Amino acid sequence: MSALLELKHLTVEFHTRAGVLHAVNDLSYSLAAGETLGIVGESGSGKSVHALAMVGLIPSPPGRIVSGEVLFNGRNLIGMPERQLRDIRGKEIGFVFQDPMTSLNPVLTVGRQIMEPLRRHLKLSQNAARKRAVELLDLVGIVDPDRRLDQFPHEFSGGMRQRVMIAIGISCEPKLLIADEATTALDVTVQAQILELVRDLKRKIGTTVIWITHDMGVVAGLADTVQVMYGGRIMERGPVSAIFRDPRSAYTWGLLRSLPGKITAPGQRLYQIPGSPPNMVHPPAGDPFAPRNSFATDRCRTEVPPLRQVDGGAAGHQVAAWYDLRSAIANQGAQS
Ligand SMILES: Nc1ncnc2c1ncn2[C@@H]1O[C@H](COP(=O)(O)OP(=O)(O)O)[C@@H](O)[C@H]1O
Ligand SMILES: [Mg+2]
């Protein structure tokens, strides 16, 4: 499989009153055509910022792309003129962001908002765009789509609005769909329906997907590859089965232990990773997770660990850690 998307050393900062905030730090990864990448990590990990930076949506100032390349089909999106980016956004790269900039406009009908990219990017006529909009609403599971098109966003439930956002995101059959916390605000039943819809769409139109969420549980059923981010860096990355069955980063391990399904005994409290994410104006010197990691060594506190292939791990399973998680856990067990 050839890479559809390749990030090379992407670094993004914000100039805040408190100082320079290092949101995304030397981030590199690639994504094959047809792959579904799940990106997880607590709030503030740089998930949204890196995605916005890719498509030229970082507000500048205060944001600044310090360095790096984002190759999409071999073309570098960083530094690309806004006019060209506008042709790529919504057409070749669709997104569903939980962001006021890209959510539905309350004063325009839903139909108009679905038809806009179809008319602009695909140059469809009014009639053809309307016909396609009906098909799209139908595709995302909205009943009575023709009538629904003439309604306003407030006439839709939260789940229905999210379906509309997905319809817009996929309207031009993008090569890449980026969904950022697309189901976070929805109840679990609707969330499950949306995830089923995305799986279905992948089967039908073969879109490559980046699914960003703070919820480890969501990526389990959707992603081929999971990428765990923290402090604007990749802590661990690999095939979904490797990440869930054989985590090698203490951070991934903590996220997995915090999953609700992990409650075994009645009355047992859900695990919570101690401490809170770092202040990225003054990030830790070494491994960003070291201050919260009981397995951290002196080296973890002073030197950033590179992302490397896991010893004896699955193909493509990479971790950034100086400690060896499995022996650290075994030692801890022996001591207690
Ligand atoms: N507009 C902004 N101005 C200043 N800091 C920002 C801005 N947007 C994001 N950040 C900071 O960048 C870091 C990464 O944020 P973000 O990518 O939104 O995290 P995530 O999506 O993983 O929750 C955080 O420390 C956040 O506070
Ligand atoms: Mg976010």
Side-chain angles (χ1 to χ4, degrees), residues 6-335:
E6 204 175 352
L7 274 71
K8 293 182 177 174
H9 309 291
L10 184 66
T11 299
V12 186
E13 62 185 29
F14 288 96
H15 290 254
T16 72
R17 263 196 270 171
V20 177
L21 188 150
H22 304 274
V24 174
N25 297 295
D26 193 24
L27 186 68
S28 301
Y29 69 83
S30 71
L31 183 64
E35 190 175 354
T36 298
L37 174 67
I39 301 186
V40 292
E42 288 164 295
S43 174
S45 302
K47 305 183 301 295
S48 297
V49 168
H50 102 279
L52 291 167
M54 277 199 256
V55 289
L57 290 177
I58 286 292
S60 175
R64 188 168 86 90
I65 296 177
V66 180
S67 58
E69 289 180 10
V70 174
L71 302 177
F72 176 66
N73 261 333
R75 283 179 304 168
N76 188 6
L77 302 183
I78 303 295
M80 186 178 269
E82 178 59 24
R83 271 195 46 165
Q84 284 176 39
L85 274 176
R86 237 179 271 150
D87 287 340
I88 291 179
R89 284 199 299 259
K91 182 169 181 240
E92 293 183 63
I93 303 179
F95 34 82
V96 187
F97 280 170
Q98 253 202 358
D99 170 286
M101 230 151 100
T102 50
S103 50
L104 295 171
N105 184 332
V107 301
L108 298 179
T109 63
V110 162
R112 213 164 131 197
Q113 297 182 67
I114 303 177
M115 286 156 66
E116 197 270 341
L118 295 169
R119 303 210 58 192
R120 179 148 65 107
H121 293 306
L122 304 184
K123 312 277 182 264
L124 296 189
S125 68
Q126 177 75 18
N127 282 343
R130 179 156 183 118
K131 191 160 166 278
R132 177 74 185 134
V134 169
E135 288 169 6
L136 282 162
L137 281 192
D138 188 47
L139 188 66
V140 297
I142 289 180
V143 182
D144 201 4
D146 200 41
R147 185 180 62 88
R148 284 297 212 160
L149 278 185
D150 298 317
Q151 295 185 333
F152 289 88
H154 74 264
E155 296 174 83
F156 284 62
S157 68
M160 289 294 154
R161 277 201 295 270
Q162 208 56 30
R163 285 167 190 261
V164 171
M165 293 300 292
I166 292 176
I168 295 172
I170 60 167
S171 59
C172 300
E173 303 200 353
K175 294 191 182 77
L176 172 64
L177 178 71
I178 305 176
D180 187 359
E181 304 284 4
T183 59
T184 300
L186 307 176
D187 68 60
V188 282
T189 316
V190 182
Q191 181 166 315
Q193 288 168 357
I194 300 275
L195 293 179
E196 187 46 45
L197 167 69
V198 174
R199 280 188 287 264
D200 200 42
L201 289 171
K202 285 191 64 82
R203 278 192 294 270
K204 283 183 187 148
I205 59 178
T207 312
T208 306
V209 175
I210 297 181
W211 194 271
I212 299 174
T213 171
H214 66 282
D215 185 348
M216 207 63 184
V218 167
V219 297
L222 191 69
D224 302 311
T225 305
V226 176
Q227 178 165 303
V228 180
M229 285 182 64
Y230 189 75
R233 299 180 187 276
I234 298 174
M235 304 302 282
E236 183 164 12
R237 176 187 158 100
V240 63
S241 56
I243 297 294
F244 279 81
R245 282 193 227 130
D246 185 23
R248 302 296 184 106
S249 161
Y251 184 57
T252 312
W253 191 56
L255 292 177
L256 289 171
R257 287 169 74 202
S258 330
L259 279 179
K262 293 284 165 189
I263 300 178
T264 43
Q268 188 186 330
R269 295 255 310 282
L270 203 58
Y271 176 79
Q272 238 192 326
I273 301 175
S276 48
N279 170 355
M280 295 309 288
V281 175
H282 303 288
D287 178 336
F289 188 59
R292 301 171 71 186
N293 181 8
S294 60
F295 303 135
T297 63
D298 287 341
R299 193 176 193 185
C300 299
R301 283 182 277 270
T302 52
E303 214 180 314
V304 176
L307 194 65
R308 57 168 174 85
Q309 172 67 32
V310 165
D311 304 324
H317 188 182
Q318 298 172 296
V319 69
W322 293 122
Y323 53 88
D324 180 75
L325 184 70
R326 291 190 305 178
S327 44
I329 293 172
N331 287 339
Q332 189 189 50
Q335 275 162 29

